[in-house]
Amino acid sequence: MARPQSRRRSGPSLLELPGAWLGHHLQSAAATLGRLLHAPLATGMTVAVIGIALALPAALYVLTDNLRQLVGGWDQGAAISLFLHQDLSDADAQGVAGRLREWPEFRRVQVIGAAAALAEFRAQPGFAEALDQLSTNPLPAVLAIAPQPVYATPAEIAGLEERLGQLPEVDFVRVDTQWLMRFQAILDLAQTLVLLLAGLLGLGVLLIVGNTIRLEIQNRRGEIEIMELVGATASFIRRPFLYAGAWYGLLGGLSAWFLVTLAVVALQGPVSRLANLYRSEFPLAGLGAVALLIILGGSMALGLIGSWIAVNRHLRGVEPD
């Protein structure tokens, strides 16, 4: 016996008149949310899995963002040390410092004379006895230079290092923030890894939502067949499932935000105690408004895409008998 053809339509029907289009959207969104809330255990488990999947890249983003802010604060104290030739006197060092103070790139140029440098070394434990064996001072005069914040970036520091090294009075240049430049490169690499992880876990969210919607389609198979028999359009039947995917995504995004915020609050105490040991303060920054909107928008988009894929694939197999 030949199988009866489906009565599912693609055009408008009595169930979806133009005037009732917006009302049915609102009704479908509210009814779908109510259906999810009436199954709190199943909904909570799905939302929790989505939230954990989204919270992992979000937490790594918060970590790299806080480290970048911390390094940015250290960049403000970037220092360049100029070791002058040993035959130059402190007066010559003062003359070089006077010329460098006219450079707009520098906010402070400090002269550390040879005698002052030797006194600093002598104050260090274990150096006094060794220095007593020397008949002359082996240390040259040093200029400690602090660049302006605008010129404290890795690229600008590298340019200043090259220019200062060409001065005839300078023996060699030491940049005290090279390790910060390397750390910035590590943070850039970590940010790329966060994006890759977010992509992989976003694919996982698609699979979670798609499988959840597939199970819901199977559970509501009889209801779908009845709607097809009375002439419901494909969009009419699809709409509740698409809203379910959007709700799963939105609730999962809120769950991810809650988990990340909870982690930031829990870590603020230990971080503050660690900063106090260095006589400093470092308030942790959580997810800002822009990041929250991106997470919520992205999670809703993932939920919609996952549900759309599941609906288009599995509704074809639901035909009225």
Side-chain angles (χ1 to χ4, degrees), residues 42-236:
T43 301
M45 293 178 64
T46 303
V47 169
V49 173
I50 295 174
I52 293 173
L54 296 176
L56 289 176
L60 291 177
Y61 165 78
V62 170
L63 175 62
T64 55
D65 185 60
N66 279 279
L67 290 177
R68 198 177 294 278
Q69 291 183 19
L70 181 62
V71 172
W74 288 337
D75 280 344
Q76 303 303 319
I80 302 174
S81 298
L82 294 187
F83 291 83
L84 305 181
H85 291 291
Q86 195 169 2
D87 56 350
L88 294 179
S89 64
D90 290 350
D92 297 330
Q94 291 289 350
V96 177
R99 298 202 309 269
L100 292 179
R101 290 188 181 101
E102 298 177 357
W103 289 27
E105 295 89 348
F106 303 140
R107 59 186 174 90
R108 187 178 69 250
V109 179
Q110 180 184 0
V111 178
I112 303 176
L118 184 63
E120 286 188 17
F121 269 99
R122 190 179 297 276
Q124 300 296 324
F127 281 92
E129 296 181 359
L131 294 175
D132 289 338
Q133 306 299 321
L134 301 177
S135 58
T136 58
N137 185 358
L139 300 178
V142 180
L143 301 184
I145 301 176
Q148 296 285 353
V150 180
Y151 298 96
T153 61
E156 295 290 345
I157 289 291
L160 290 175
E161 181 183 6
E162 182 178 357
R163 290 174 57 191
L164 292 171
Q166 296 174 354
L167 297 177
E169 299 88 353
V170 175
D171 188 9
F172 67 94
V173 182
R174 189 187 71 183
V175 179
D176 298 335
T177 56
Q178 283 192 358
W179 71 275
L180 287 178
M181 301 178 192
R182 298 188 183 99
F183 194 67
Q184 286 279 11
I186 294 175
L187 288 180
D188 293 338
L189 176 61
Q191 189 173 13
T192 303
L193 293 177
V194 168
L195 294 177
L196 293 176
L197 180 62
L200 292 175
L201 292 176
L203 180 60
V205 171
L206 285 178
L207 297 176
I208 293 169
V209 174
N211 186 64
T212 303
I213 298 300
R214 178 186 67 83
L215 294 176
E216 189 169 350
I217 290 174
Q218 296 300 324
N219 292 333
R220 299 175 61 185
R221 183 185 183 96
E223 181 182 343
I224 295 172
E225 291 178 351
I226 293 175
M227 286 192 293
E228 290 180 338
L229 287 174
V230 298
T233 63
S235 60
F236 185 93

